[in-house]
């Protein structure tokens, strides 16, 4: 059966798609044939879409960020992230002002040697014992994008500066204090609990009464073992026409290195607000 194009989805079908993302953490559509403007239009029908004026955003479609290892004749990157391996991360959720819960990736040029892995942090929380759930519910974490594990992209990356000064450190964010947030979050759309495991950026942990966990490395190792499990992972090898939609609170993701530097994805970030009613002003 021929795959229905997302640009032709009814409002009811887009709502069902959004609900599926919320249920599973991610959804993949295949055999999509989209122009940049059509891809941006489809996302904007689901929710408010992020626009940028970075070098990787085409002026005619600022809603789309080019993801590619390709360079121009002067050796300058045409897209974000180049061709290196990317460590576990999620869009926006380390920043102090964040609404675009969904990231969409549409493949226009493939590299079948590259794998993107999505890990469901909500499923990881559900898999814990009741005792461990309660322990983690009573933990706050501190983030630092200059910490020892923060190596999402190299210091000389062309992406340097695009996200700087937006990371949520030292700024009041919803119910958070200026230097920490709860380890366990509640999704603003469906209230589902998830482990906020921003892997490269956690540098300290505290109990709810403010006592710092002394052996942080042991705590971190235990948290890693509880979250980073293959049974919570989904692996995507992009082929032309594949479209991946993933929730950035329920999941984190990583990418293996790019062998074919011409590989290109069109990336968007948006929320659920056009298809689902919810309160947008808190990430508990």
């Amino acid at each position: 059966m021929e795959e229905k194009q997302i640009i032709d989805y009814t409002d009811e079908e887009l709502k069902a798609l959004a609900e599926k993302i919320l249920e599973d953490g991610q959804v993949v559509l295949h055999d999509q044939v989209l122009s940049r403007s059509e891809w941006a239009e489809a996302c904007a029908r689901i929710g408010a879409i992020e626009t940028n004026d970075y070098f990787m955003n085409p002026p005619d479609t600022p809603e789309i960020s080019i993801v590619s290892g390709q360079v121009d004749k002067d050796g300058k990157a045409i897209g974000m992230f180049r061709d290196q391996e990317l460590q576990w991360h999620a869009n926006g959720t380390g920043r102090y002002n964040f609404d675009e819960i969904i990231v969409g990736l549409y493949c226009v040029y493939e590299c079948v040697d590259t794998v993107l892995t999505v890990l469901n942090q909500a499923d990881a929380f559900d898999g814990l014992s009741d005792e461990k759930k309660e322990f983690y519910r009573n933990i706050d974490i501190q983030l630092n994008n200059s910490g020892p594990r923060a190596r999402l992209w190299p210091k000389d990356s062309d992406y340097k500066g695009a996200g700087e000064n937006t990371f949520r450190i030292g700024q009041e964010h919803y119910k958070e204090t200026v230097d920490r947030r709860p380890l366990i979050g509640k999704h603003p759309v469906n209230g589902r609990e998830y482990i906020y495991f921003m892997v490269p950026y956690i540098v300290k942990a505290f109990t709810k009464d403010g006592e710092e966990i002394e052996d942080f490395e042991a705590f971190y190792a235990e948290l890693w073992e509880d979250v980073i499990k293959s049974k919570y992972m989904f692996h995507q090898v992009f082929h032309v026409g594949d479209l991946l939609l993933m929730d950035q609170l329920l999941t984190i993701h990583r990418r293996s290195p790019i062998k074919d530097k011409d590989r290109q994805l069109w990336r968007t970030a948006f929320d659920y607000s056009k298809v689902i009613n919810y309160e947008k002003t808190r990430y508990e």
Side-chain angles (χ1 to χ4, degrees), residues 133-162:
K133 287 178 181 177
E134 196 58 29
F135 171 71
Y136 283 147
R137 286 187 184 113
N138 285 284
I139 295 293
D140 286 338
I141 54 173
Q142 182 174 326
L143 308 175
N144 190 330
N145 62 341
S146 298
R149 298 184 179 90
R151 55 187 184 93
L152 178 56
W153 50 76
K155 291 183 178 180
D156 61 351
S157 170
D158 290 288
Y159 190 59
K160 182 180 179 182

Side-chain angles (χ1 to χ4, degrees), residues 175-198:
K175 295 182 179 180
E176 302 169 25
T177 62
V178 295
D179 66 348
R180 65 192 68 174
R181 64 147 292 153
L183 174 62
I184 305 304
K186 290 184 179 180
H187 198 286
V189 179
N190 62 6
R192 190 177 181 192
E193 290 182 293
Y194 61 92
I195 300 174
Y196 186 89
F197 195 32
M198 285 297 288

Side-chain angles (χ1 to χ4, degrees), residues 40-56:
E41 177 186 341
C43 298
R45 288 182 60 205
I46 297 174
I49 187 169
E50 181 182 56
T51 61
N52 291 303
D53 60 356
Y54 301 136
F55 73 92
M56 63 272 195

Side-chain angles (χ1 to χ4, degrees), residues 94-97 142-143 145 163-181:
R95 304 177 188 179
Y96 94 96
N97 191 7
Q142 182 174 326
L143 308 175
N145 62 341
E164 288 181 356
N165 302 320
T166 60
F167 200 86
R168 197 212 66 76
I169 298 177
Q171 304 202 46
E172 187 174 353
H173 179 45
Y174 302 116
K175 295 182 179 180
E176 302 169 25
T177 62
V178 295
D179 66 348
R180 65 192 68 174
R181 64 147 292 153

Side-chain angles (χ1 to χ4, degrees), residues 2-281:
E2 185 175 341
E3 188 86 12
K4 185 169 184 176
Q5 300 297 299
I6 191 172
I7 193 66
D8 297 326
Y9 275 31
T10 65
D11 292 344
E12 291 75 17
E13 287 171 328
L14 287 176
K15 181 179 181 181
L17 179 64
E19 290 172 344
K20 186 66 172 173
I21 299 168
L22 285 166
E23 179 182 354
D24 295 343
Q26 78 286 315
V27 170
V28 179
L29 305 179
H30 301 284
D31 301 323
Q32 298 294 299
V33 181
L34 297 166
S35 66
R36 287 203 310 268
S37 61
E38 287 173 331
W39 175 215
E41 177 186 341
C43 298
R45 288 182 60 205
I46 297 174
I49 187 169
E50 181 182 56
T51 61
N52 291 303
D53 60 356
Y54 301 136
F55 73 92
M56 63 272 195
N57 295 90
D60 60 341
T61 49
E63 307 91 342
I64 290 174
S65 297
I66 304 298
V67 179
S68 179
Q70 189 177 0
V71 298
D72 62 19
K73 59 182 178 60
D74 298 319
K76 185 177 180 180
I78 69 163
M80 63 196 300
F81 297 145
R82 284 218 174 185
D83 59 347
Q84 71 272 5
E85 178 183 15
L86 297 180
Q87 302 301 316
W88 292 111
H89 64 285
N91 175 64
T93 50
R95 304 177 188 179
Y96 94 96
N97 191 7
F98 169 73
D99 287 317
E100 297 80 17
I101 309 174
I102 310 170
V103 158
L105 296 171
Y106 174 61
C107 181
V108 295
Y109 191 93
E110 65 193 46
C111 174
V112 296
D113 296 309
T114 298
V115 180
L116 184 144
T117 298
V118 181
L119 187 146
N120 194 308
Q121 303 179 111
D123 286 349
F125 183 78
D126 288 345
L128 298 174
S129 67
D130 290 342
E131 181 181 8
K132 182 61 74 70
K133 287 178 181 177
E134 196 58 29
F135 171 71
Y136 283 147
R137 286 187 184 113
N138 285 284
I139 295 293
D140 286 338
I141 54 173
Q142 182 174 326
L143 308 175
N144 190 330
N145 62 341
S146 298
R149 298 184 179 90
R151 55 187 184 93
L152 178 56
W153 50 76
K155 291 183 178 180
D156 61 351
S157 170
D158 290 288
Y159 190 59
K160 182 180 179 182
E164 288 181 356
N165 302 320
T166 60
F167 200 86
R168 197 212 66 76
I169 298 177
Q171 304 202 46
E172 187 174 353
H173 179 45
Y174 302 116
K175 295 182 179 180
E176 302 169 25
T177 62
V178 295
D179 66 348
R180 65 192 68 174
R181 64 147 292 153
L183 174 62
I184 305 304
K186 290 184 179 180
H187 198 286
V189 179
N190 62 6
R192 190 177 181 192
E193 290 182 293
Y194 61 92
I195 300 174
Y196 186 89
F197 195 32
M198 285 297 288
V199 183
Y201 305 130
I202 302 175
V203 293
K204 291 183 181 181
F206 308 83
T207 62
K208 290 294 186 183
D209 60 10
E211 182 179 351
E212 184 173 350
I213 293 179
E214 293 185 4
D215 193 348
F216 173 75
E217 292 303 321
F219 169 83
Y220 186 94
E222 183 176 358
L223 182 62
W224 179 281
E225 290 298 321
D226 285 337
V227 177
I228 310 298
K229 295 179 180 290
S230 60
K231 64 182 177 179
Y232 304 132
M233 296 180 188
F234 168 83
H235 305 284
Q236 172 69 20
V237 176
F238 280 101
H239 291 265
V240 171
D242 286 349
L243 191 163
L244 170 66
L245 299 161
M246 52 185 172
D247 188 293
Q248 300 299 285
L249 295 174
L250 300 178
T251 67
I252 54 178
H253 56 280
R254 65 173 296 165
R255 186 191 77 186
S256 64
I258 307 297
K259 289 188 177 181
D260 187 340
K261 293 179 175 57
D262 289 335
R263 176 185 184 267
Q264 186 171 142
L265 306 178
W266 293 345
R267 175 190 177 279
T268 55
F270 51 101
D271 65 23
Y272 294 94
S273 61
K274 300 287 183 62
V275 294
I276 300 175
N277 293 322
Y278 61 97
E279 184 75 28
K280 291 179 63 176
T281 56

